[in-house]
Amino acid sequence: MPSLVEWRVDERPPRLWTRLYVAVMWVLRDKRAFTGQEQTVWIVRPRRRRPAARVLYLHGGGYVHPLTPDYWRLVRALTAAPAEVVVPAYPLAPVAHVDDVVPRLVALARSLDDLPLVVMGDSAGGALSLVLAGHLRGAARRPDAVVLLSPWLDATLDEDQVSDLEATDPMLEETGLRAAGRWWSGGRTTTDPDVSPVFGNLDGLPPVDVHVGAHDILRPAVELLAQRADRADDVVLTVHERTAMFHVWMTRFVPEGAQTRRILRDRVRAVARPTEPRHP
């Protein structure tokens, strides 16, 4: 079956509030890293309705940063689908690496079998989401949809445009990302598909939506993903690009973030099954 690749561009300029917010982001740009070995799993449910779908949400942070408050803003929006959102705080590099974490996430995903499932993640979590979809490709219960938010698809950052885009991205720095990618890869190369899923097998994946900003240094690898998906078999890939946006804007307290969160809620709602109100 031929594949379908679609790239949609939203060219609206950023709002004034967003411009001010980004200016503060540059001032507070975070250079710290955190490590950990344990995996805590958070489960967030809607208050007044039974969940009609489930989201397995894999957070970003370059494999070295933990969950931050911004992620819960997105999680709250997703519960309105209504959905249950499962958020694993997976072990981090350099203490842990890909071979420690991916098997845990595969086992977690396979245990989530009673509701339609969307695997979603941002940045490094976006890469993990695509890796996870590949591992679950032949499973009896695979995801119904995969959503990648500003995904870090190529840990090598070898695309020519990366250096030019760094000057426009208030969140990411190329040098630190390269180091984090090496830590995360462990005994693998950084081009291994479990580390850089843009090089993996895309045949037969569930429908994939990618949201990316034009100012994101990770955008070039999304172009490569679209090219490879176009040559793959039986995959539907839709890229949603915001020309004025930066890395992982959809978690931030800006108008464009709220707009994208509503789009993501509706994407989850599209795979949900009918549900009834939750009774006291």
Side-chain angles (χ1 to χ4, degrees), residues 123-164:
S123 194
L128 280 171
S129 296
L130 192 56
V131 169
L132 194 58
H135 279 269
L136 297 172
R137 185 190 343 253
R141 177 67 173 86
R142 72 172 196 164
D144 297 275
V146 180
V147 181
L148 315 178
L149 311 176
S150 301
W152 186 13
L153 299 173
D154 181 3
T156 70
L157 297 175
D158 278 347
E159 293 79 17
D160 293 337
Q161 308 98 310
V162 168
S163 296
D164 294 336

Side-chain angles (χ1 to χ4, degrees), residues 88-107:
Y90 53 86
L92 302 171
V95 176
H97 52 74
V98 60
D99 288 320
D100 300 315
V101 174
V102 168
R104 299 190 192 195
L105 296 179
V106 170

Side-chain angles (χ1 to χ4, degrees), residues 91-248:
L92 302 171
V95 176
H97 52 74
V98 60
D99 288 320
D100 300 315
V101 174
V102 168
R104 299 190 192 195
L105 296 179
V106 170
L108 175 61
R110 285 177 171 162
S111 72
L112 307 175
D113 60 359
D114 59 334
L115 286 170
L117 178 64
V118 178
V119 176
M120 184 184 300
D122 70 278
S123 194
L128 280 171
S129 296
L130 192 56
V131 169
L132 194 58
H135 279 269
L136 297 172
R137 185 190 343 253
R141 177 67 173 86
R142 72 172 196 164
D144 297 275
V146 180
V147 181
L148 315 178
L149 311 176
S150 301
W152 186 13
L153 299 173
D154 181 3
T156 70
L157 297 175
D158 278 347
E159 293 79 17
D160 293 337
Q161 308 98 310
V162 168
S163 296
D164 294 336
L165 285 169
E166 185 175 13
T168 70
D169 191 329
M171 284 195 65
L172 298 181
E173 292 181 308
E174 182 180 352
T175 303
L177 280 176
R178 288 182 189 275
R182 290 192 297 270
W183 291 338
W184 181 249
S185 63
R188 299 174 181 253
T189 66
T190 51
T191 57
D192 187 285
D194 274 5
V195 180
S196 296
V198 72
F199 302 121
N201 178 11
L202 305 178
D203 293 348
L205 290 178
V208 179
D209 286 83
V210 182
H211 292 259
V212 67
H215 294 174
D216 191 334
I217 72 170
L218 304 183
R219 182 191 178 280
V222 175
E223 293 187 25
L224 178 57
L225 180 72
Q227 294 167 10
R228 296 196 70 250
D230 197 39
R231 298 191 296 268
D233 183 45
D234 191 22
V235 61
V236 176
L237 171 69
T238 305
V239 179
H240 312 262
E241 180 181 354
R242 286 294 296 253
T243 56
M245 286 297 100
F246 47 88
H247 186 65
V248 197

Side-chain angles (χ1 to χ4, degrees), residues 2-37:
S3 296
L4 174 62
V5 177
E6 187 175 3
W7 194 299
R8 303 172 182 175
V9 179
D10 187 333
E11 297 182 338
R12 286 176 289 181
R15 306 282 184 89
L16 176 60
W17 171 259
T18 304
R19 294 175 184 172
L20 295 173
Y21 192 97
V22 170
V24 174
M25 287 176 64
W26 279 108
V27 173
L28 300 178
R29 197 175 191 182
D30 190 4
K31 303 181 186 299
R32 297 170 298 169
F34 301 84
T35 63
Q37 293 177 296

